[in-house]
Amino acid sequence: MGNLLRLLYREDPPKHDIFVDFENAQPSRMEVETYEAVEAVLKDSEGILHELQQYKGAGNEIREAIANPRSEIQQEKAWDAIVPLVSKLRRFYEFSQQLEAIVPKILTELCSGPLTPMQHLETQQALVKQFAQILEFVLKFDDLKMTNPAIQNDFSYYRRTVSRLRMANQDDSENEMELPNELANRMSLFYAHATPMLKVLSETTAKFVLDNKELPIENTTETLGTMAKVCQRMIENPSFLQRFQNEETVLFILRVMVGLIILYDHVHPVGAFVKTSHVDIKGCIKVLREQPPSSAESLLNALRYTTKHLNDDTTPRYVKGLLS
């Protein structure tokens, strides 16, 4: 109860004018070990997103196979089309497990010790940049997944076909192209969720809080909220904007800000939208609405549809109105 009261009634700090060098931050000697472990995973993130973006599915082959159930040729065509796609889906899922393993490492560095959240952001910018890259990846992956129904259709067809083949060949050993049943079950649960990577990230962060009882929960939530405010101020501050070398950096920071709000809302007991939240929701939405619609609308939709507490009774009406 005491922890909850501290969460609800902490005083709001002053302006968060810190420039986080998201473009060029390099690890200090103290950051190197964690940085390299995280980088070993993040190096594959762009490839994952590219593969997902190019994912076309096997809809035509599946329809032909279903329409011609007695045609061995059509069944083989569908199977041959599905197998490499399922291999890709497995790779995406296994990448989510790699993220699940590294997120606690980076949270430990950013949320523990005697430093305040602001001091962590000032002195551990390479790790802050990596955590931001994880958040951006999560939002991009889930956005691509939500707009591609072929993923669930393909995997459902794969599982139905495997089940049928196993029933027809009960004495045969498992086909080398089949997934282990337990892995297939976990993948089904993963892809059934509208935002699977966000689910992994939020559950991993919540588990980090539970597993590290020596760290007060506000260490984690205040760090997330402070990062969101810093991102907001970097977009609001013209002198910071002038320091960016790449125009894509602004969109990167906006995505990260939204990702932080969503994650905060999933981890904090009462969410990001209450008046006592560490997140300046009104200011963040204002920043988003000042951007071109092509940049802002998908991020506003992410706040509308992937947060946990927006529709709670505790969310002020004006906040709901800003996102209506």
Side-chain angles (χ1 to χ4, degrees):
M1 185 65 181
N3 279 346
L4 181 58
L5 289 173
R6 285 199 300 275
L7 282 168
L8 291 172
Y9 295 107
R10 291 176 72 88
E11 292 183 3
D12 195 45
K15 293 286 188 183
H16 291 69
D17 285 307
I18 297 175
F19 182 82
V20 177
D21 192 354
F22 286 118
E23 295 177 332
N24 303 301
Q26 295 299 313
S28 65
R29 183 176 57 84
M30 298 296 289
E31 294 174 278
V32 165
E33 183 178 349
T34 300
Y35 181 90
E36 289 181 348
V38 175
E39 199 63 25
V41 175
L42 280 178
K43 65 180 175 57
D44 294 326
S45 62
E46 285 301 316
I48 294 284
L49 290 174
H50 179 73
E51 283 189 58
L52 182 55
Q53 197 165 26
Q54 300 299 314
Y55 190 101
K56 301 303 181 187
N60 290 334
E61 292 87 349
I62 290 171
R63 281 190 291 274
E64 288 297 322
I66 292 172
N68 300 280
R70 298 184 184 280
S71 170
E72 287 296 324
I73 293 175
Q74 295 299 337
Q75 304 307 311
E76 287 180 13
K77 279 186 178 180
W79 181 254
D80 289 344
I82 280 290
V83 166
L85 294 174
V86 170
S87 294
K88 286 186 179 184
L89 296 180
R90 177 177 183 170
R91 174 168 146 79
F92 301 162
Y93 169 75
E94 289 177 342
F95 187 77
S96 79
Q97 302 305 289
Q98 292 178 279
L99 286 182
E100 186 177 334
I102 62 165
V103 165
K105 296 179 188 295
I106 205 164
L107 287 175
T108 297
E109 295 298 324
L110 294 178
C111 302
S112 60
L115 300 181
T116 65
M118 292 282 280
Q119 289 169 331
H120 278 293
L121 265 63
E122 287 179 301
T123 62
Q124 295 175 294
Q125 295 208 353
L127 295 181
V128 171
K129 179 182 76 172
Q130 286 184 317
F131 190 55
Q133 289 170 330
I134 291 171
L135 286 161
E136 187 194 37
F137 168 82
V138 166
L139 260 65
K140 283 184 170 181
F141 183 96
D142 286 349
D143 190 47
L144 289 169
K145 186 267 178 186
M146 278 193 291
T147 56
N148 195 339
I151 290 173
Q152 280 182 272
N153 293 339
D154 290 349
F155 199 65
S156 294
Y157 177 80
Y158 166 81
R159 298 212 70 186
R160 292 197 304 271
T161 303
V162 167
S163 178
R164 188 175 68 248
L165 292 173
R166 285 178 179 168
M167 290 178 66
N169 302 282
Q170 291 180 359
D171 297 329
D172 290 355
S173 60
E174 193 172 86
N175 188 307
E176 64 178 9
M177 299 307 296
E178 292 177 19
L179 298 173
N181 196 50
E182 184 181 347
L183 175 60
N185 288 338
R186 293 200 305 269
M187 287 175 61
S188 286
L189 291 172
F190 177 77
Y191 287 113
H193 203 276
T195 53
M197 285 292 178
L198 173 63
K199 185 172 187 289
V200 168
L201 181 59
S202 59
E203 288 182 351
T204 301
T205 306
K207 187 175 185 297
F208 169 80
V209 171
L210 288 174
D211 289 349
N212 294 272
K213 298 189 185 302
E214 74 281 4
L215 292 178
I217 185 174
E218 61 263 31
N219 280 35
T220 304
T221 54
E222 190 172 341
T223 296
L224 297 176
T226 301
M227 279 187 68
K229 285 182 178 178
V230 167
C231 288
Q232 174 191 340
R233 287 295 298 153
M234 286 182 71
I235 300 299
E236 291 173 338
N237 191 326
S239 65
F240 286 171
L241 289 175
Q242 291 173 4
R243 294 170 66 178
F244 299 147
Q245 298 170 1
N246 188 338
E247 60 184 27
E248 282 293 309
T249 302
V250 172
L251 183 54
F252 171 82
I253 294 172
L254 290 170
R255 285 197 198 101
V256 172
M257 180 184 76
V258 169
L260 287 161
I261 295 169
I262 294 168
L263 186 57
Y264 182 105
D265 193 56
H266 279 261
V267 174
H268 194 287
V270 295
F273 298 101
V274 293
K275 292 180 180 178
T276 51
S277 165
H278 286 105
V279 178
D280 177 9
I281 285 290
K282 184 177 179 181
C284 288
I285 295 172
K286 180 176 181 289
V287 163
L288 287 171
R289 291 201 176 280
E290 289 171 350
Q291 309 306 313
S294 59
S295 301
E297 195 56 32
S298 65
L299 296 176
L300 289 167
N301 282 337
L303 291 177
R304 291 179 184 117
Y305 304 122
T306 65
T307 47
K308 184 177 180 181
H309 294 282
L310 175 61
N311 294 316
D312 288 2
D313 292 340
T314 52
T315 299
R317 285 186 181 179
Y318 74 86
V319 172
K320 292 180 181 179
L322 289 172
L323 288 171
S324 62

